[in-house]
Amino acid sequence: MTLSMCCGMAVVFGQTYQVPVSEQHEKMLTGRYQPTWESLETHQTPEWFRDAKFGIWAHWGPQCVEGSGDWMARSMYMEDSREYKWHVEHYGHPSEFGFKDVLPLFKAEKWDPEALVERYKRCGAKYFFVLGNHHDNFDLWDSKYQEWNSKRIGPKKDILDGWAKAAKKAGLPFGISFHADHAWTWYEPAQRYDIKGPKAGVYYDGNLTKADGKGKWWEGLDPQNLYQQRHPMSYDSWSNGKVHDQWGWGEGACPPSQEFVTNFYDRTLDAINRYHPDLIYFDVTVLPFYPISDCGLRIAAHLYNKNPRSVVFGKILNDDQRKALTWDVERGAPNELIDIPWQTCNCIGNWHYKTSIYEKDGYKSAETVVKQLVDIVSKNGNLLLSIPLRADGTYDDKEAKVLDNLEAWMSVNGESIFGTRPWVKFGEGPVAETDIKINAQGFNEGMYSKLDARDVRFNQTKKYLYATALGWPENGTLVIKSLAKGNPDFKKTISSVYLLGYGKLKAQQTFEGLKVVLPKPCNDIAPVLRIQK
């Protein structure tokens, strides 16, 4: 490693970093790829990923225990929040019963990884993702560098090992997501106290130390290895939304220590070396601790050197960074055809299991999922879909219905998804012609909520062009303008098309478009036309 010190900063491979990683414990695998953008840009997203198109994600961990949804381990320390009130009512005040005390309640007692992965595979998943750790900083494996882990506490199981073996048995590429790099700022509310009420001024348990555990269930464990709050609060930390402005380690975020950064690096390499993932995902701006540390660049180089056919995802990437990493868009999509492969990550509910979504019938339907998938694939993207699991390791009956309906559509129409490539244009229709902007990491899926039969999406193989209407037209007639007579993009005369799940249909090609009279709907979601090239 080329490293020199200048004015308190470290110069690594010609780049200056405020918080460089230490390799005292875990060494980055050397080889073709170096931890620089110039080197990582020589890695290309593999063809297997482009063929896969659809993955399922088990975004599952101890934050599912209370059924309060995503980020509950942060929100339970925000006085007057819904999560705080529910926690106080059912478990006690966060000065006495904090998130560390929720961990033993995560039992995973009904978890059957093989059955789950096989179920997801039947729904069309071509790769499978799991949570390695979340912002709650709890490792879901027998972690060498984090004592707060699932082998020691809660399930007393190596969760990653079980998932990895199930994915291997099913023949699916395996992905792990790592989110714990933001525990430093994300857990800052655990340093707070109530402003009002009988506990006013009593600090929450985010300030506890190992010495405070004497005689407690967690005796011998250091809460600070979980909460990571041995540091001043970030600027305006009591403002609950400020953490979003500071996600990229700016806007007054308290800088992480080298010890914390290196610990995340060590844990991530430990998991990569043990479970051999084909994909890794970071819930960050660009890469973990970028641009103040070389941590994320080193992890990416390590995985690429270990597995040249691997994929590393990053968010909010510029054009050059998209050459080195695969761009991930959260809960949304660009409304244009992207030249290089990318991915949307989304969920049918909340990222962590939320009981109220079940009670209010709030899950995305299989129809919504399929429409999003078809739209994304037409733009050269993949969809990674999370199916929230309850703390016991099972999905509920309403999620089962979504999976059933998804499997039914995929089993007939999957050929129009898997192994395809974009056509000369991604689609036509009102939504296709709307200027839809990305909001930060994504978060524009609401703009796609009105997809219907007027919107058609295209993709192709060497032999066929597929045209999918995102709904069945009420009058039974579909007119595809992009395939009008004389269209230079598809010069072959079209006299018949094949409707997947039904059979051949007569087609009339006019100067207004390709006119197809459809039969009674043969599926509940969307008709797919297969056209000979």
Side-chain angles (χ1 to χ4, degrees):
M1 178 178 72
T2 303
L3 186 151
S4 61
M5 298 300 294
C6 178
C7 302
M9 308 285 279
V11 181
V12 187
F13 289 96
Q15 302 291 321
T16 301
Y17 296 105
Q18 179 182 348
V19 191
V21 159
S22 166
E23 290 194 319
Q24 179 182 354
H25 302 296
E26 294 289 338
K27 303 291 186 183
M28 183 192 77
L29 184 65
T30 58
R32 173 179 176 180
Y33 301 101
Q34 299 294 325
T36 66
W37 289 112
E38 294 76 15
S39 178
L40 297 180
E41 283 176 9
T42 65
H43 181 272
Q44 293 186 339
T45 304
E47 288 299 297
W48 75 258
F49 178 77
R50 299 192 69 190
D51 290 338
K53 303 302 181 188
F54 180 57
I56 286 185
W57 189 3
H59 189 287
W60 174 62
Q63 287 183 82
C64 299
V65 166
E66 296 189 11
S68 297
D70 203 34
W71 284 34
M72 63 76 53
R74 172 180 165 89
S75 298
M76 63 167 282
Y77 294 105
M78 296 176 179
E79 187 178 12
D80 289 334
S81 72
R82 177 183 52 80
E83 295 84 355
Y84 168 94
K85 292 177 180 178
W86 198 96
H87 179 83
V88 169
E89 178 183 353
H90 292 84
Y91 294 102
H93 192 263
S95 64
E96 301 164 349
F97 196 104
F99 187 69
K100 70 180 187 313
D101 302 293
V102 173
L103 297 176
L105 305 179
F106 175 54
K107 299 292 189 182
E109 63 270 26
K110 297 181 181 179
W111 175 55
D112 185 343
E114 286 190 11
L116 287 167
V117 173
E118 282 295 336
R119 182 73 183 90
Y120 300 150
K121 185 177 179 179
R122 294 201 306 273
C123 292
K126 301 299 184 184
Y127 55 104
F128 176 63
F129 245 98
V130 303
L131 199 66
N133 50 42
H134 199 251
H135 311 314
D136 59 25
N137 211 27
F138 182 75
D139 282 354
L140 290 158
W141 73 93
D142 186 14
S143 181
K144 290 168 61 177
Y145 302 103
Q146 170 57 298
E147 60 185 359
W148 299 84
N149 67 70
S150 64
K151 182 67 174 178
R152 183 169 185 170
I153 303 166
K156 305 293 180 69
K157 300 173 184 177
D158 187 325
I159 300 295
L160 283 191
D161 182 62
W163 283 131
K165 288 176 179 175
K168 183 177 180 179
K169 183 175 181 179
L172 295 182
F174 182 57
I176 307 175
S177 66
F178 300 96
H179 310 241
D181 52 304
H182 271 94
W184 184 268
T185 52
W186 190 83
Y187 260 136
E188 284 184 9
Q191 293 192 50
R192 298 181 189 174
Y193 47 83
D194 284 1
I195 299 297
K196 59 187 179 182
K199 295 285 188 178
V202 178
Y203 281 98
Y204 303 150
D205 72 329
N207 297 284
L208 295 177
T209 66
K210 185 175 182 177
D212 295 311
K214 188 174 179 59
K216 307 288 180 60
W217 76 262
W218 48 275
E219 183 173 359
L221 295 170
D222 187 349
Q224 290 308 314
N225 289 336
L226 179 69
Y227 297 130
Q228 290 292 340
Q229 294 304 303
R230 296 187 186 97
H231 63 82
M233 283 185 166
S234 300
Y235 169 74
D236 199 21
S237 180
W238 280 72
S239 175
N240 293 337
K242 190 63 178 175
V243 68
H244 299 288
D245 297 332
Q246 298 168 342
W247 207 247
W249 299 100
E251 300 292 328
C254 178
S257 66
Q258 185 184 46
E259 179 184 11
F260 177 71
V261 171
T262 297
N263 178 256
F264 177 82
Y265 168 83
D266 288 340
R267 290 155 67 185
T268 305
L269 259 63
D270 174 41
I272 290 172
N273 293 338
R274 288 201 209 187
Y275 308 110
H276 312 292
D278 303 286
L279 316 95
I280 57 175
Y281 168 106
F282 297 116
D283 188 10
V284 298
T285 300
V286 185
L287 279 171
F289 306 105
Y290 185 81
I292 61 176
S293 177
D294 59 337
C295 175
L297 290 167
R298 287 185 170 279
I299 294 170
H302 179 84
L303 183 63
Y304 287 166
N305 284 325
K306 182 178 175 62
N307 182 355
R309 298 178 70 253
S310 62
V311 182
V312 177
F313 298 100
K315 298 181 179 182
I316 314 182
L317 306 177
N318 63 33
D319 289 342
D320 288 335
Q321 291 163 346
R322 291 185 199 180
K323 298 174 185 176
L325 308 171
T326 300
W327 180 38
D328 181 84
V329 179
E330 183 173 350
R331 291 190 183 272
N335 206 27
E336 60 182 322
L337 178 57
I338 304 298
D339 291 337
I340 56 179
W342 59 281
Q343 174 182 268
T344 286
C345 62
N346 212 324
C347 184
I348 66 168
N350 204 257
W351 285 117
H352 279 100
Y353 190 86
K354 191 170 184 177
T355 305
S356 63
I357 290 181
Y358 172 83
E359 294 171 342
K360 297 176 182 179
D361 293 325
Y363 291 127
K364 288 183 176 70
S365 65
E367 178 181 4
T368 297
V369 171
V370 167
K371 288 182 179 183
Q372 290 184 347
L373 174 64
V374 171
D375 179 70
I376 289 162
V377 168
S378 74
K379 300 168 182 174
N380 204 25
N382 287 26
L383 173 62
L384 176 61
L385 182 70
S386 175
I387 308 295
L389 295 176
R390 295 173 289 199
D392 66 3
T394 62
Y395 50 77
D396 62 48
D397 61 302
K398 294 178 181 178
E399 292 176 297
K401 182 179 179 181
V402 175
L403 292 172
D404 289 343
N405 293 339
L406 186 59
E407 180 181 354
W409 191 89
M410 286 287 207
S411 63
V412 174
N413 299 284
E415 70 169 78
S416 68
I417 300 294
F418 308 118
T420 62
R421 294 294 183 270
W423 191 44
V424 296
K425 62 187 297 186
F426 75 85
E428 66 177 46
V431 175
E433 295 157 11
T434 301
D435 184 15
I436 298 176
K437 304 295 185 184
I438 293 288
N439 179 21
Q441 297 98 316
F443 300 115
N444 65 356
E445 66 174 330
M447 298 297 293
Y448 295 95
S449 62
K450 296 182 180 180
L451 290 166
D452 58 31
R454 296 171 297 170
D455 267 284
V456 178
R457 297 295 179 266
F458 305 104
N459 52 344
Q460 63 180 335
T461 61
K462 290 182 179 180
K463 189 175 181 180
Y464 299 116
L465 172 68
Y466 293 95
T468 304
L470 300 180
W472 291 82
E474 291 184 4
N475 64 3
T477 300
L478 181 63
V479 179
I480 305 175
K481 298 178 182 179
S482 300
L483 296 177
K485 192 173 184 179
N487 173 21
D489 296 322
F490 197 89
K491 297 179 181 179
K492 182 178 178 180
T493 300
I494 303 171
S495 59
S496 67
V497 299
Y498 188 93
L499 175 64
L500 299 188
Y502 179 83
K504 284 187 177 182
L505 302 174
K506 290 183 179 181
Q508 181 182 5
Q509 201 171 17
T510 71
F511 288 105
E512 285 71 41
L514 177 68
K515 182 178 179 181
V516 181
V517 178
L518 298 173
K520 182 180 178 181
C522 55
N523 67 64
D524 295 330
I525 298 176
V528 182
L529 302 182
R530 186 177 71 196
I531 303 168
Q532 186 85 31
K533 291 171 67 174

